């Protein structure tokens, strides 16, 4: 079953602006992870937020988690052309040996 | 920085043929995974592998699929009799201590079935 759903499906912004992507999920989670995928490449782990955490920062990335709404957001501040990629959320559910993936947000940063 | 390597980068195979996709996970990782992705869309879980056995598999991972860790470094995915719908990118991933931890991905094998 599909767990994570990102929105928007696609986002195009100017370089320097902030980009916000959202992820919703259905069941209780152990943690939620965000990954980036550049065109034709594998996925790269960006950040992990545990179910008892509400916010986490890593460089220009800020992730929030609202377990009552079963949603998370990824904010990229001061976007750069190199941030152009697809971004996926994935949830880790207790007693599951797999991450459950969303459909991804395709982010385009215009120079 | 250690990385997951996959070979070949592109595999073209006739329908009905067997194909083996190869992966070398990061050396001190204990959990291994195969995913597939069709045309840059959703990432689909296929199978997870730990302690020399399958720990979980999806509905996609039917009898045509098998995985093996033939030695201490390689992790392979075999598709016995390929179908046109098996055309996709196949990604191998590994994690150090468990499925809840960040996974490290290879750059994938593009499988094209003719």
């Amino acid at each position: 079953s599909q767990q994570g759903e990102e929105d928007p499906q696609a986002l195009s912004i100017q370089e320097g602006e902030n980009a916000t992507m959202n992820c919703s999920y259905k069941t209780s989670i152990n943690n939620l992870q965000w990954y980036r995928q550049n065109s034709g490449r594998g996925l790269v782990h960006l950040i992990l937020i545990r179910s008892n955490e509400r916010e986490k920062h890593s460089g220009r990335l800020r992730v929030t988690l609202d377990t009552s709404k079963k949603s998370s957001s990824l904010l990229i501040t001061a976007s750069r052309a190199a941030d152009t990629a697809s971004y996926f959320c994935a949830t880790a559910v207790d007693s599951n040996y797999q991450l459950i993936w969303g459909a991804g947000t395709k982010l385009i940063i215009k120079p | 920085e250690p990385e997951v390597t996959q070979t070949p980068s592109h595999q073209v195979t006739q329908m009905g043929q067997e194909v083996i996709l190869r992966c070398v996970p990061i050396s001190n990782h204990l959990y291994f995974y195969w995913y597939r992705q069709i045309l840059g869309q959703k990432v689909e879980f296929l199978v997870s592998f730990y302690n020399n056995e399958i720990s979980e598999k999806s509905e996609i991972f039917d009898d045509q699929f098998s995985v093996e860790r033939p030695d201490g470094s390689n992790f392979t995915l075999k598709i016995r009799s390929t179908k046109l719908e098996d055309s996709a990118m196949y990604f191998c991933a590994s994690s150090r201590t468990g499925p809840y931890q960040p996974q490290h991905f290879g750059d994938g094998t593009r499988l094209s079935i003719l």
Side-chain angles (χ1 to χ4, degrees):
Chain A
S1 62
Q2 187 163 296
Q3 171 81 317
E5 292 282 355
E6 287 99 330
D7 77 87
Q9 289 185 329
L11 179 61
S12 181
I13 60 173
Q14 291 293 139
E15 194 168 23
E17 293 180 341
N18 295 342
T20 300
M21 289 157 271
N22 303 296
C23 169
S24 61
Y25 57 92
K26 295 186 173 74
T27 64
S28 296
I29 61 172
N30 178 291
N31 66 62
L32 185 143
Q33 302 176 30
W34 286 91
Y35 288 77
R36 184 187 74 231
Q37 184 181 34
N38 290 91
S39 182
R41 303 296 300 273
L43 292 97
V44 175
H45 178 261
L46 295 175
I47 197 164
L48 179 154
I49 187 164
R50 292 184 174 80
S51 59
N52 61 353
E53 296 175 311
R54 292 296 165 258
E55 188 171 310
K56 206 158 180 182
H57 297 253
S58 176
R60 293 184 297 113
L61 305 181
R62 173 178 169 253
V63 169
T64 61
L65 180 66
D66 186 337
T67 52
S68 66
K69 293 181 180 175
K70 292 188 168 56
S71 68
S72 172
S73 68
L74 171 67
L75 167 68
I76 303 174
T77 60
S79 62
R80 304 167 183 167
D83 295 329
T84 293
S86 291
Y87 291 81
F88 293 88
C89 71
T91 50
V93 178
D94 285 327
S95 77
N96 255 11
Y97 281 85
Q98 59 171 295
L99 292 178
I100 303 176
W101 296 80
T105 294
K106 188 165 186 176
L107 176 65
I108 296 172
I109 308 299
K110 295 179 285 188
Chain B
E1 185 174 320
E3 55 182 32
V4 175
T5 56
Q6 290 186 244
T7 54
S9 55
H10 191 190
Q11 173 81 44
V12 182
T13 303
Q14 291 288 331
M15 187 173 60
Q17 295 295 305
E18 175 182 287
V19 65
I20 297 176
L21 309 182
R22 291 183 164 78
C23 170
V24 179
I26 293 174
S27 61
N28 63 351
H29 284 191
L30 302 176
Y31 291 78
F32 315 111
Y33 315 87
W34 283 101
Y35 295 90
R36 77 175 186 191
Q37 186 181 37
I38 296 173
L39 286 176
Q41 294 176 22
K42 193 178 174 76
V43 176
E44 297 178 297
F45 169 78
L46 293 178
V47 66
S48 59
F49 192 86
Y50 169 70
N51 201 25
N52 281 321
E53 60 182 25
I54 290 174
S55 44
E56 191 155 354
K57 59 184 181 180
S58 71
E59 295 166 353
I60 303 168
F61 195 89
D62 61 21
D63 292 344
Q64 294 299 312
F65 290 86
S66 62
V67 289
E68 199 175 38
R69 189 154 161 82
D71 52 43
S73 60
N74 291 285
F75 181 49
T76 62
L77 174 69
K78 182 194 290 186
I79 308 175
R80 260 180 275 281
S81 178
T82 50
K83 308 183 187 71
L84 292 176
E85 55 265 35
D86 293 327
S87 295
M89 283 291 291
Y90 287 80
F91 291 103
C92 171
S94 67
S95 62
R96 173 141 164 66
T97 54
Y100 307 150
Q101 299 309 307
Q103 295 182 14
H104 298 253
F105 283 74
D107 276 339
T109 293
R110 179 177 300 280
L111 178 63
S112 300
I113 307 300
L114 305 178

